[in-house]
């Protein structure tokens, strides 16, 4: 059983490539916008409205200019399938990622594992934090499986936003 599990882990992880974005590329930006505008992604974001291309491009370019923001393209089987974002503040990184709907169930946990390791390789990071709406039970469950703990809750436009954190000392 253990050998089978290791083979399956390797099978899925080797299909995932996470590449840091440093320059604006309109074709990549459009693919990311398509994912951001999927209903299953939007309902779990702060902004639940459809995002116009022009607004998305401005947002994308501004993040790429910010030295405290780290943007990564998530490719699965060589297809753009999502985005990973780290926002560094002192010794803490706030992070988020989203995937195409058809990739979430199979690859979500593997992407989270890779992302946590990548975040803790950034210099002087001791805390990884995120925000998840209370209705997003699958993601809350996944984060808790990786050791994230609830810090606080806050009401946001009739929804409950849960703040979670994972300390590096609890990850290693």
């Amino acid at each position: 059983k253990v050998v089978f599990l290791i083979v399956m882990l390797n099978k899925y992880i080797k299909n995932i490539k996470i590449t840091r974005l440093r320059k604006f590329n309109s074709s990549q930006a459009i693919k990311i916008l398509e994912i951001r505008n999927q209903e299953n992604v939007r309902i779990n974001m702060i902004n639940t409205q459809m995002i116009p291309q022009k607004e998305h491009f401005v947002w994308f370019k501004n993040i790429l200019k910010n030295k405290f923001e780290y943007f990564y393209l998530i490719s699965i089987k060589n297809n753009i399938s999502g985005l990973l974002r780290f926002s560094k503040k002192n010794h803490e990184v706030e992070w988020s990622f989203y995937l195409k709907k058809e990739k979430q169930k199979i690859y979500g946990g593997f992407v989270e594992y890779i992302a946590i390791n990548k975040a803790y390789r950034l210099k002087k990071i001791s805390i990884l934090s995120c925000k998840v709406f209370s209705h997003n039970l699958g993601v809350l469950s996944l984060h808790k499986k990786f050791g994230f703990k609830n810090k606080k809750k806050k009401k946001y436009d009739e929804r409950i936003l849960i703040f979670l954190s994972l300390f590096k000392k609890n990850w290693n």
Side-chain angles (χ1 to χ4, degrees), residues 3-167:
V3 172
F4 175 74
L5 181 61
I6 292 169
V7 168
M8 293 306 290
L9 284 172
N10 287 334
K11 173 186 172 187
Y12 289 109
I13 287 180
K14 75 178 185 182
N15 289 332
I16 302 168
K17 184 176 179 187
I18 299 180
T19 309
R20 183 155 181 208
L21 297 174
R22 296 179 188 271
K23 293 181 181 174
F24 180 78
N25 175 307
S26 61
S27 66
Q28 290 175 337
I30 289 169
K31 288 180 182 178
I32 293 301
L33 177 61
E34 290 169 358
I35 297 168
R36 287 182 76 200
N37 275 336
Q38 287 182 341
E39 185 177 350
N40 67 297
V41 172
R42 282 195 339 265
I43 63 169
N44 296 307
M45 293 175 66
I46 300 286
N47 175 10
T48 59
Q49 304 302 310
M50 290 289 288
I51 302 164
Q53 182 175 308
K54 185 177 179 182
E55 182 182 316
H56 173 71
F57 279 14
V58 169
W59 171 82
F60 205 97
K61 289 175 183 177
N62 285 337
I63 285 180
L64 291 173
K65 290 178 195 173
N66 185 333
K67 69 178 184 175
F68 299 108
E69 297 280 347
Y70 300 79
F71 238 20
Y72 298 87
L73 202 59
I74 301 169
S75 298
I76 298 174
K77 295 184 178 180
N78 298 315
N79 293 308
I80 295 174
S81 300
L83 184 71
L84 168 64
R85 178 181 176 193
F86 296 138
S87 297
K88 187 175 177 186
K89 297 171 193 156
N90 300 318
H91 297 289
E92 184 171 354
V93 167
E94 184 177 308
W95 78 300
S96 60
F97 80 91
Y98 40 85
L99 293 172
K100 288 181 177 179
K101 184 176 183 172
E102 66 271 15
K103 303 294 184 188
Q104 292 172 354
K105 285 191 188 231
I106 296 172
Y107 287 98
F110 297 112
V111 169
E112 180 147 344
Y113 175 79
I114 294 167
I116 292 169
N117 283 313
K118 189 173 281 297
Y120 283 130
R121 284 196 300 269
L122 297 174
K123 288 185 180 178
K124 299 180 182 176
I125 298 302
S126 57
I127 304 168
L128 191 55
S129 63
C130 60
K131 302 172 198 154
V132 180
F133 283 107
S134 61
H135 65 264
N136 196 349
L137 299 175
V139 170
L140 285 169
S141 174
L142 181 64
H143 289 340
K144 288 180 180 182
K145 286 176 185 173
F146 280 99
F148 283 85
K149 305 285 185 218
N150 289 13
K151 278 192 329 193
K152 66 179 180 177
K153 295 179 182 181
K154 181 179 175 183
K155 194 168 187 176
Y156 186 89
D157 288 343
E158 304 302 316
R159 300 182 289 169
I160 303 297
L161 195 56
I162 300 174
F163 295 72
L164 301 117
S165 61
L166 173 65
F167 289 85

